[in-house]
Amino acid sequence: MPDHPVAAPAQPDSHEPDVVGTGARRILTGRVVRWGFVAVAVAFGAYAVVGQWSAVRAALVDIGPLAIVGAFVAVLVAMLASMQVWRVLLAALGSPLPVLAAAKVVFVGQLGKYLPGSIWPVLAQMELGTAHKVPRRRSATASVLTMLVSLLGGLLAALGTLPFLAGAMPYRWAFLAAPVLLAALHPRVLNPVLAALLRLARRPPLEQPLTGRAVLVALGWSLASWLLYGVQVWLFAVRLGAPDGRAVLLAIGGFAFAWSVGFLVVFAPAGAGVREVLLVAVFGPLVGVGGATAIAVVSRILMTVGDLAAAGVVAAWSGRRRPSTG
């Protein structure tokens, strides 16, 4: 934030609203609230699993290891597609990176999403990008835009499937973000906004503006990732007896919508708890509460393991290649 200009001394009580507002923001966005939310989400999640444990255990047996392995492969490929969103946007901003370099920045940096505070993945990717001569403002811009494009892709995937299938869905207000994002990501709107934000932050302007083609390509990769994440959930649902056609639409739209709402509920790190509640709401009528709970739990585990595995693999692989290039 820019420094406030020097002004004449104000009356003693003139700063009270700012102090109160700042204190409230610190409380609502601070670690206590965020970790408290995680603790409550984990507690309620554990309670739900324990309460439905016999049904969850039966569902896990029905899903079987082969479907779990297939779902994990779908998660990893979906993560590669998500990485391509960031890579396409960064290249459009003027810093094209090879796949391995981009994967290391994205996969290692995104581990910061598990920390309380939404800024950590962006900060991590900013610092990791400097090793590849990417200016911090450029990687930060690409990271923030990736979140917005992924959110738009998730909402569009949900809009294309859920309205035809689902009845009363909670959090329908999230769809209101879709037209706002569509307008905001148009280059005629996006580029002036980015320029204004950089001026406010007293940073140099971006060397080249984003094009509509770059945004569309990034959105295409985002939609591909949601399709693959949906395949992950679909493999579970059909093993639990859900009809193939209905299940695939619910899987794509339901997972994308659950992630999008988890993203918009900013006090939930990595969408903890919110995603699972919505997945159970979507699949409960189809496979029962126990089966839907099993889908939500296994999906969360696979997503977390996928994040850790991707970060570990690219870090180890780039570490092995470094001596040969020196």
Side-chain angles (χ1 to χ4, degrees):
M1 293 179 61
D3 295 332
H4 294 290
V6 177
Q11 294 180 357
D13 60 348
S14 64
H15 293 290
E16 283 189 20
D18 290 336
V19 172
V20 173
T22 301
R25 285 193 296 271
R26 287 178 178 175
I27 291 172
L28 291 174
T29 61
R31 293 189 175 188
V32 173
V33 170
R34 291 176 180 272
W35 279 119
F37 182 88
V38 173
V40 171
V42 169
F44 275 98
Y47 178 79
V49 171
V50 170
Q52 295 284 333
W53 176 242
S54 59
V56 171
R57 182 172 57 185
L60 290 174
V61 172
D62 290 337
I63 289 173
L66 191 60
I68 292 176
V69 171
F72 186 60
V73 172
V75 166
L76 293 177
V77 180
M79 291 174 62
L80 287 172
S82 298
M83 180 271 294
Q84 280 292 103
V85 176
W86 183 85
R87 183 168 175 251
V88 165
L89 292 170
L90 187 70
L93 291 170
S95 290
L97 287 182
V99 172
L100 181 60
K104 182 178 180 182
V105 174
V106 172
F107 293 145
V108 176
Q110 76 175 358
L111 294 181
K113 70 186 179 183
Y114 293 101
L115 297 175
S118 304
I119 195 65
W120 297 115
V122 177
L123 291 178
Q125 289 167 359
M126 285 169 58
E127 294 306 316
L128 290 166
T130 59
H132 303 281
K133 298 181 172 56
V134 179
R136 288 182 174 88
R137 69 182 183 282
R138 200 177 290 170
S139 57
T141 302
S143 296
V144 172
L145 290 177
T146 296
M147 295 179 192
L148 298 180
V149 170
S150 297
L151 177 59
L152 175 59
L155 291 173
L156 291 178
L159 278 169
T161 54
L162 291 184
F164 303 105
L165 298 170
M169 281 285 296
Y171 299 101
R172 282 184 180 271
W173 52 262
F175 286 127
L176 296 175
V180 176
L181 288 168
L182 276 172
L185 288 172
H186 192 284
R188 290 187 179 179
V189 176
L190 180 60
N191 287 315
V193 168
L194 290 176
L197 290 175
L198 288 170
R199 281 198 303 270
L200 285 174
R202 298 180 180 178
R203 294 291 183 268
L206 294 171
E207 290 81 356
Q208 57 190 59
L210 276 171
T211 64
R213 182 181 182 278
V215 174
L216 286 175
V217 172
L219 183 59
W221 279 111
S222 174
L223 290 171
S225 73
W226 292 122
L227 174 65
L228 289 160
Y229 282 129
V231 168
Q232 167 215 190
V233 181
W234 173 76
L235 287 171
F236 300 151
V238 294
R239 290 290 298 170
L240 295 175
D244 289 0
R246 182 178 175 85
V248 71
L249 291 176
L250 274 178
I252 295 170
F255 187 89
F257 185 68
W259 183 94
S260 300
V261 174
F263 180 88
L264 290 170
V265 180
V266 295
F267 53 83
V274 178
R275 186 193 306 167
E276 287 72 21
V277 167
L278 283 173
L279 284 177
V280 172
V282 168
F283 284 98
L286 217 59
V287 298
V289 175
T293 303
I295 290 174
V297 170
V298 177
S299 174
R300 169 65 71 173
I301 292 172
L302 290 186
M303 296 282 288
T304 303
V305 172
D307 284 339
L308 297 173
V313 168
V314 296
W317 184 261
S318 58
R320 286 179 59 187
R321 288 171 59 92
R322 190 177 299 116
S324 62
T325 59

